[in-house]
Amino acid sequence: MTTPALLPLSGRRLPPLNLGASAFPHHRATLRLSEKFILLLILSAFITLCFGAFFFLPDSSKHKRFDLGLEDVLIPHVDTSKGGKNLGGFLIHGQGHDEHRHREEEERLRNKIRADHEKALEEAKEKLKKSRDEIQAEIQTEKNKVVQELKKKDSKPLPPVPLPNLIGINSGEPADLDIREKRNKIKEMMKHAWDNYRQYGWGHNELKPIARKGHSTNIFGNSQMGATIVDALDTLYIMGLHDEFREGQEWIDKNLDFSVNSEVSVFEVNIRFIGGLLAAYYLSGQEVFKIKAVQLAGKLLPAFNTPTGIPWAMVNLKSGVGRNWGWASAGSSILAEFGTLHMEFVHLSYLTGDPVYYNKVMHIRKLLQKMDRPNGLYPNYLNPRTGRWGQHHTSVGGLGDSFYEYLLKAWLMSDKMDTEARKMYDDAIEAIEKHLIRKSNGGLTFIGEWKNGHLERKMGHLTCFAGGMFALGADGSRDDKAGHYLQLGAEIAHTCHESYDRTTLKLGPEAFKFDGGVEAVAVRQNEKYYILRPEVIETYWYMWRFTHDPKYRQWGWEAAQAIDKYCRVSGGFSGVKDVYSSSPTYDDVQQSFFLAETLKYLYLLFSNDDLLPLDNWVFNTEAHPLPVLHLANTTLSGNPAYR
């Protein structure tokens, strides 16, 4: 084994340190770097003490005064009758103090240095007697102490903030027996997903339910950050699974660490982690969730250090270095990613009193308002260096979807006072309806994708959330068009239901076409998969809340049964690779959003409306409920957007 060389900052290599076999009689002569480090510390302490004794011990033969360089020396108060000035329990004695007192002080210091010297020698001897394992254990203990100190430093108390009016966080029990049984079935599915993650993937980001081990993707970097735990917390809470909730809280308190050398997706970490932690805080009142959310948000802020203030797609949590996805239109940032920060960041400013988060997202909004938009549409790509659009591709599905959702929800979350956000939403929806929404030959309303002046007649599963968005935004729409947008939401819900109903498994494909005689059906093999996505069920739930048409509960139950039949395995739930195959194969991933969104929306679909009422709660794009910030309670009411 070769001894690793020490690399100084200058880059020059130092020769390896060899202490010889006698230093550690039970081990090989060549030592590990960590062991050398300990010995160097011991030797340096020893040398320091020796030099200290050499320089600071007085010359006793000449009985010189030991002068600390002070005109006056503070000495504990003993007697005020000898001419000293009393100062708070101490006497200030001048230079004329008797020589005897100085000699005593010198002797005391000399004895202390000698004792420290002997103690250091004894400690060094003891260190040298220890085995390799003992030394490594001590090193690890010291590392843990440093980590704990850093955690304490990061955990500085946040200012007390009045909580918004929190209504309907543990209710919703339906009176109808059939509906109650269906809701209980969804709860059982949640418990199956959680229990298997708890057993086989605990602490990992996600679960491989067939292999029965942890799973991670590059959106979370290479660290075990417990994404499923954070994402599932609020679902566990509203389902009344409080033992499971406490399990998750305990793991987060003890293990969730953001000071890792890991590159993560700013968007995914924001909507899943910060959104999940904030929702858990508001629902439970447990401070640990708020503290962790603020710690993580601080780690994301370096992503905004670009020439335009448009954040990078990814950031290293330790170094703060950011970059964009290599495939994203010549180094562009993605509309749905930098446009899906507003809800969480406004709540961060509300809870901390620090406007930095609010200012970051408002800067993005102001920049977008100034830019030209082709046909009133927002392209999916924007270069964070130049501030120019990338290729002109517009979608209400992947790459664009939640940007539009958050314009509407910024208005709702502000108690409908952020009229700037509402105007941007209304303008965008009018352009989308004019250029992207069409009816198929068979009468199905769909939302296509605009690519370089051409409408692609294809709709993704992700786009199916828009039915719920149109319904949610109907109230308050321009020109008294609430009925129109509610009807548009119903038409999108119907189309997305057809995409499920026209498959063998009654589960929707990732994308489906409307070309010629092919309608609401996937054509390409790589678009036939279902990965436990929530968007169709999300729209069913919103449509149920606004219309109470029983077909939405019926459609939701069909989807729940199909998931339970075809995606459930003994180790959890898995996505399937082909929804048109009668014998599907599994992708072996239990996505964290399955617990955060799909099962939550199903549970809410079979609950009464008094559970998380929409007048009081706004759901982020990962289905994490955040309370409406009424002006009486918000620290942001001085901002122009909230006037």
Side-chain angles (χ1 to χ4, degrees):
M1 181 176 85
T2 58
T3 307
L6 300 177
L7 293 176
L9 290 178
S10 66
R12 295 168 62 184
R13 297 175 68 87
L14 297 176
L17 176 68
N18 191 350
L19 297 180
S22 60
F24 285 93
H26 302 295
H27 306 293
R28 290 176 292 184
T30 308
L31 302 176
R32 291 188 178 182
L33 181 61
S34 57
E35 294 166 351
K36 292 179 187 177
F37 181 67
I38 286 291
L39 289 174
L40 284 171
L41 284 178
I42 295 167
L43 290 171
S44 64
F46 178 82
I47 292 166
T48 301
L49 286 169
C50 289
F51 272 95
F54 180 82
F55 282 110
F56 290 108
L57 280 176
D59 186 347
S60 58
S61 63
K62 297 181 180 178
H63 298 288
K64 288 183 179 178
R65 178 181 170 190
F66 186 73
D67 194 348
L68 297 178
L70 300 175
E71 292 300 314
D72 298 296
V73 181
L74 291 176
I75 301 175
H77 170 47
V78 178
D79 185 2
T80 59
S81 64
K82 296 183 178 179
K85 294 176 286 183
N86 189 2
L87 184 66
F90 286 84
L91 281 175
I92 301 180
H93 289 262
Q95 291 181 350
H97 191 62
D98 60 272
E99 190 70 22
H100 177 70
R101 178 61 64 104
H102 286 303
R103 282 199 298 271
E104 285 183 350
E105 190 68 19
E106 290 171 5
E107 186 63 27
R108 184 183 68 78
L109 288 168
R110 195 162 37 238
N111 290 337
K112 182 178 185 305
I113 291 172
R114 187 180 296 113
D116 289 344
H117 186 188
E118 291 174 356
K119 182 180 178 183
L121 282 174
E122 288 300 316
E123 288 179 354
K125 290 177 183 177
E126 290 301 315
K127 293 281 184 190
L128 293 174
K129 291 178 183 177
K130 292 184 178 180
S131 69
R132 181 195 299 265
D133 291 341
E134 288 174 319
I135 290 174
Q136 287 177 335
E138 288 190 6
I139 292 170
Q140 189 58 49
T141 299
E142 290 303 316
K143 285 181 180 178
N144 292 339
K145 284 181 182 177
V146 172
V147 169
Q148 291 304 319
E149 288 301 317
L150 288 173
K151 284 183 177 180
K152 287 179 183 177
K153 185 179 177 182
D154 287 340
S155 300
K156 58 185 179 182
L158 295 170
V161 176
L163 282 177
N165 190 20
L166 304 179
I167 294 174
I169 60 177
N170 52 12
S171 49
E173 182 75 16
D176 184 279
L177 178 62
D178 177 61
I179 300 301
R180 194 158 65 241
E181 287 178 351
K182 288 173 178 172
R183 188 171 95 142
N184 287 337
K185 173 60 181 176
I186 305 304
K187 184 175 179 178
E188 184 276 329
M189 291 169 68
M190 178 68 181
K191 194 154 178 10
H192 179 69
W194 174 265
D195 287 347
N196 279 282
Y197 169 78
R198 178 71 179 83
Q199 184 171 356
Y200 302 117
W202 192 242
H204 289 268
N205 289 317
E206 291 172 325
L207 170 68
K208 293 176 76 68
I210 297 172
R212 298 190 178 189
K213 64 181 183 180
H215 170 72
S216 189
T217 63
N218 62 345
I219 60 174
F220 302 121
N222 53 9
S223 297
Q224 294 184 27
M225 291 174 61
T228 294
I229 299 174
V230 181
D231 232 1
L233 277 174
D234 52 4
T235 307
L236 293 170
Y237 191 92
I238 68 171
M239 288 185 177
L241 296 170
H242 295 303
D243 289 341
E244 291 80 357
F245 179 87
R246 280 188 289 271
E247 283 179 338
Q249 178 180 339
E250 183 178 351
W251 186 90
I252 286 169
D253 189 22
K254 294 180 178 178
N255 300 288
L256 187 55
D257 178 20
F258 304 121
S259 59
V260 291
N261 185 19
S262 190
E263 191 179 55
V264 301
S265 162
V266 174
F267 163 73
E268 297 286 0
V269 165
N270 176 62
I271 66 172
R272 302 194 200 204
F273 282 83
I274 294 181
L277 290 166
L278 291 176
Y281 166 67
Y282 282 119
L283 291 170
S284 70
Q286 297 297 315
E287 289 283 318
V288 62
F289 301 127
K290 177 172 70 172
I291 291 168
K292 293 285 186 180
V294 173
Q295 287 175 0
L296 176 55
K299 298 286 187 179
L300 297 186
L301 286 178
F304 292 82
N305 295 336
T306 66
T308 61
I310 297 292
W312 299 113
M314 291 174 287
V315 68
N316 186 293
L317 293 177
K318 189 169 188 177
S319 69
V321 175
R323 69 179 178 94
N324 276 340
W325 304 107
W327 50 263
S329 186
S332 290
S333 298
I334 296 167
L335 182 69
E337 296 193 341
F338 67 76
T340 309
L341 303 166
H342 188 97
M343 290 181 65
E344 298 81 4
F345 274 46
V346 167
H347 272 275
L348 287 166
S349 280
Y350 171 70
L351 291 172
T352 63
D354 188 344
V356 63
Y357 306 104
Y358 177 85
N359 291 338
K360 294 292 186 189
V361 291
M362 289 305 295
H363 175 79
I364 293 172
R365 182 191 290 184
K366 297 300 183 188
L367 188 148
L368 290 174
Q369 283 180 313
K370 294 175 184 175
M371 296 186 65
D372 292 330
R373 295 185 296 279
N375 293 323
L377 298 170
Y378 290 89
N380 290 337
Y381 300 108
L382 181 61
N383 191 298
R385 289 191 174 94
T386 65
R388 296 192 184 97
W389 296 117
Q391 66 188 75
H392 287 185
H393 173 208
T394 298
S395 170
V396 186
L399 307 180
D401 47 10
S402 46
F403 165 71
Y404 306 100
E405 175 188 356
Y406 268 39
L407 290 177
L408 172 64
K409 290 181 175 179
W411 175 70
L412 291 169
M413 199 178 72
S414 71
D415 199 17
K416 302 182 179 179
M417 300 302 290
D418 187 353
T419 54
E420 182 180 83
R422 178 74 211 208
K423 180 183 183 304
M424 290 178 71
Y425 171 78
D426 287 334
D427 290 345
I429 294 307
E430 287 178 5
I432 286 168
E433 189 167 11
K434 180 177 180 180
H435 296 286
L436 304 184
I437 297 180
R438 297 288 184 270
K439 263 203 180 0
S440 72
N441 294 336
L444 295 177
T445 301
F446 68 94
I447 308 175
E449 297 187 9
W450 191 264
K451 288 188 175 180
N452 297 316
H454 169 72
L455 182 69
E456 187 175 7
R457 297 171 67 85
K458 181 178 80 171
M459 187 169 172
H461 192 291
L462 289 166
T463 319
C464 286
F465 92 97
M469 178 179 72
F470 293 143
L472 185 62
D475 184 26
S477 57
R478 286 178 184 158
D479 304 323
D480 197 25
K481 294 175 72 173
H484 167 73
Y485 284 114
L486 194 60
Q487 176 60 30
L488 183 57
E491 291 175 13
I492 297 297
H494 173 66
T495 298
C496 293
H497 175 256
E498 286 298 308
S499 78
Y500 273 52
D501 203 43
R502 297 180 186 193
T503 70
T504 303
L505 305 186
K506 304 303 179 186
L507 292 170
E510 181 69 4
F512 40 95
K513 293 287 187 85
F514 297 89
D515 283 335
V518 177
E519 296 195 355
V521 173
V523 176
R524 297 178 180 176
Q525 187 60 42
N526 65 357
E527 294 175 341
K528 294 181 179 180
Y529 60 87
Y530 173 71
I531 56 171
L532 307 171
R533 286 204 187 276
E535 290 78 19
V536 174
I537 295 164
E538 175 183 355
T539 278
Y540 293 166
W541 174 61
Y542 278 112
M543 293 306 304
W544 164 257
R545 278 282 175 106
F546 289 113
T547 69
H548 286 157
D549 187 329
K551 72 181 178 186
Y552 296 115
R553 278 183 164 171
Q554 177 191 334
W555 291 351
W557 183 241
E558 289 171 6
Q561 287 179 301
I563 292 169
D564 199 52
K565 182 175 181 179
Y566 295 111
C567 299
R568 184 176 185 135
V569 296
S570 59
F573 289 87
S574 169
V576 292
K577 294 181 179 179
D578 188 345
V579 293
Y580 301 96
S581 170
S582 56
S583 54
T585 55
Y586 298 108
D587 66 11
D588 196 19
V589 179
Q590 180 175 283
Q591 306 277 351
S592 80
F593 57 66
F594 177 65
L595 293 83
E597 300 184 75
T598 311
L599 292 174
K600 183 187 284 119
Y601 285 130
L602 281 168
Y603 188 79
L604 291 170
L605 181 60
F606 298 108
S607 298
N608 289 344
D609 293 0
D610 60 351
L611 179 58
L612 300 173
L614 292 174
D615 286 340
N616 301 89
W617 297 89
V618 184
F619 288 73
N620 88 336
T621 197
E622 190 78 359
H624 295 307
L626 300 175
V628 169
L629 294 177
H630 299 282
L631 284 181
N633 288 334
T634 181
T635 57
L636 301 171
S637 55
N639 287 308
Y642 281 80
R643 286 176 188 157

